[in-house]
Amino acid sequence: METIEIVGDNYFGAWDKVRVACRGIVVKDGLILLNYETKTDQWMIPGGGIENEEDEKGCCVREVEEETGFVVEPSDCVLQINEYYEDTKYIDRYFLCNIIGTSELHLTQREKAVGMEPRWMPIETIRTIFSKHADYTESDEMRRGIYLREYLALNKILR
């Protein structure tokens, strides 16, 4: 498994907090399953933080199901991206997933507030959207970081 390191301009030089997240890449007929925030016009690969004592694959399954309504079977981890911002190290682990069923969405209050919904997008279209990460350098550091991370992940995993 390959690891990519991203160091943000606002990194303090040392971290004392760690957040581990698992993200599921679901591809079907040349389309990729993504989360789209209708109120912020922001895209991202489904996933989120590990809770309690769950393992990484369990986290991936839960997050994809909660956010998209699809039950998936994940591969072993295919890529890890470590991001360093301020005093925190963010670890994102990526899994290729096959759909094995459907469920209901279970969005958080924040996800509801931003109008999150699952959408299928052509892989090349979303690569183009994520490739514009530098456009947000001055205006939206969070989006810049998310788009850079997702762009690197897609280019490594879906060559």
Side-chain angles (χ1 to χ4, degrees):
M1 175 191 60
E2 186 172 351
T3 300
I4 296 173
E5 306 283 331
I6 299 172
V7 179
D9 289 341
N10 63 350
Y11 180 50
F12 295 164
W15 49 270
D16 59 8
K17 298 177 200 157
V18 177
R19 181 174 186 274
V20 179
C22 299
R23 305 196 174 283
I25 296 180
V26 182
V27 178
K28 183 178 173 184
D29 302 324
L31 302 175
I32 186 167
L33 180 62
L34 297 165
N35 288 330
Y36 179 64
E37 296 179 354
T38 60
K39 297 203 167 74
T40 64
D41 188 34
Q42 183 167 284
W43 297 90
M44 67 190 72
I45 295 170
I50 290 179
E51 293 181 358
N52 305 316
E53 301 296 319
E54 75 185 344
D55 64 18
E56 292 174 355
K57 284 185 177 182
C59 174
C60 181
V61 169
R62 177 183 53 77
E63 287 287 346
V64 172
E65 183 176 348
E66 287 175 353
E67 294 176 357
T68 71
F70 289 102
V71 180
V72 297
E73 181 176 54
S75 67
D76 289 332
C77 182
V78 294
L79 176 69
Q80 177 171 309
I81 297 182
N82 297 329
E83 300 175 89
Y84 303 88
Y85 296 101
E86 296 181 346
D87 62 348
T88 306
K89 177 181 181 179
Y90 298 91
I91 301 170
D92 286 277
R93 295 197 171 117
Y94 289 83
F95 300 81
L96 289 170
C97 299
N98 291 315
I99 296 172
I100 59 173
T102 59
S103 181
E104 301 222 0
L105 293 178
H106 296 284
L107 301 177
T108 65
Q109 285 306 109
R110 186 213 163 271
E111 292 164 346
K112 289 176 186 174
V114 296
M116 182 184 281
E117 56 187 47
R119 297 229 182 135
W120 291 95
M121 285 287 290
I123 294 168
E124 290 311 314
T125 301
I126 200 62
R127 267 196 181 125
T128 300
I129 290 170
F130 288 156
S131 75
K132 297 180 181 353
H133 53 84
D135 292 356
Y136 299 99
T137 300
E138 300 297 321
S139 62
D140 190 342
E141 176 62 12
M142 181 179 284
R143 185 180 307 220
R144 184 206 63 79
I146 290 169
Y147 280 20
L148 173 60
R149 179 189 74 213
E150 307 298 43
Y151 179 72
L152 293 173
L154 290 181
N155 282 332
K156 283 290 179 189
I157 296 168
L158 304 178
R159 296 174 212 218

